[in-house]
Amino acid sequence: MERFDIANLAHKKPSQLSGGQQQRVAIARALIQDPPIILADEPVGNLDSVNAQTVLDLLEELNEKDKKTIIHVTHNPNDLEKANTVFYMKDGKITKETTNQKKKRAPLKLSLPASDLEYLTKLYPHLGEEELRIKLIVNHLLNSFGLDTQRRLEYVVKQYIKKEIDETTLFSLLDKPIEEEGVGLYLQKAKEFSKKIIEFTNESALMAQEIEYAQQPNKTVELRKYLLDNIKLKISSQQLSRLDEYLAERINNNISKKTLEKLFDQSYEKGGVGLDRRTAKKIANEAEAILLDKALSQLL
């Protein structure tokens, strides 16, 4: 409350506060549990311009200084200058995505533990395994480089993960100017990128070795056992049979991830497994992440 300049209002009732003060109370209340993500639905919709700017500045401070992710829903285009990335939506669908070039985005963590694989499948659900690996590495490395640089870097990363070039050539191509068919990074950045690409590729290969499903006589049973042990889920023998059936269909690529999640969520009487929606989504994402990790390791 002291941080948001409302400590002197601690004993007042909401009706005794101005709109801007009420919004600052709402933000302070949302931060009590120190959440990593703040969902702000029209946070300045009912405020005058002065109070609106104050609240927007507070949200920006939480993002930049406290490292909180802010998801800000708004109909006001004047609010967009505070955003790193803007998603335009119509009828529940994203129609366009833009990046604010005036805002310097913090780089994403390159070292990914196995639990972050679920995030990767959500981030690029439409890409194949090889394209996903390339995009993953490049997006972690690039923040403010142009599209041409990104394309060149993707091509070099693709060559490296397919073992068409070695570590020395990798660095050389990163350092070469664009005019000589290189990526055009300056020396220090080429060294940094080269090191991270090598580290990430090696690290990903090690993660894949932790769960070696290809060597198991029954990949479906092993995958199901891992999922149920990891999520601590108890289901009936009939549900177990259905779960195995649909996991096998996904392993053989006969159904999509979206269909798998739908079948997990659907009631048993209607042909599904009969899990609650949240559990169905969690198991489907975990399964997809494991299968994706295995597929990526096989490419290498």
Side-chain angles (χ1 to χ4, degrees), residues 13 70 93 109 270 272:
K13 296 182 181 298
I70 310 292
K93 296 182 179 180
K109 178 178 62 175
K270 292 184 179 180

Side-chain angles (χ1 to χ4, degrees), residues 128-144:
E129 290 86 356
E130 181 178 301
E131 290 81 4
L132 178 61
R133 170 62 61 81
I134 296 165
K135 279 285 186 185
L136 174 63
I137 295 175
V138 171
N139 283 340
H140 277 75
L141 297 176
L142 290 181
N143 289 314
S144 59

Side-chain angles (χ1 to χ4, degrees), residues 56-67:
L56 289 174
D57 289 342
L58 287 175
L59 292 174
E60 185 175 39
E61 178 183 325
L62 292 171
N63 174 243
E64 295 181 350
K65 294 185 178 180
D66 295 61
K67 308 305 180 184

Side-chain angles (χ1 to χ4, degrees), residues 203-215:
E203 187 176 290
S204 182
L206 289 174
M207 285 192 297
Q209 293 171 7
E210 292 179 2
I211 306 174
E212 193 61 54
Y213 289 103
Q215 296 179 359

Side-chain angles (χ1 to χ4, degrees), residues 194-231:
S194 177
K195 180 181 178 181
K196 288 184 176 181
I197 291 170
I198 294 168
E199 287 178 351
F200 181 84
T201 304
N202 293 339
E203 187 176 290
S204 182
L206 289 174
M207 285 192 297
Q209 293 171 7
E210 292 179 2
I211 306 174
E212 193 61 54
Y213 289 103
Q215 296 179 359
Q216 300 293 342
N218 191 330
K219 290 192 288 185
T220 301
V221 173
E222 292 296 324
L223 177 57
R224 180 251 293 165
K225 182 179 178 182
Y226 174 84
L227 290 171
L228 296 188
D229 288 345
N230 188 44
I231 298 177

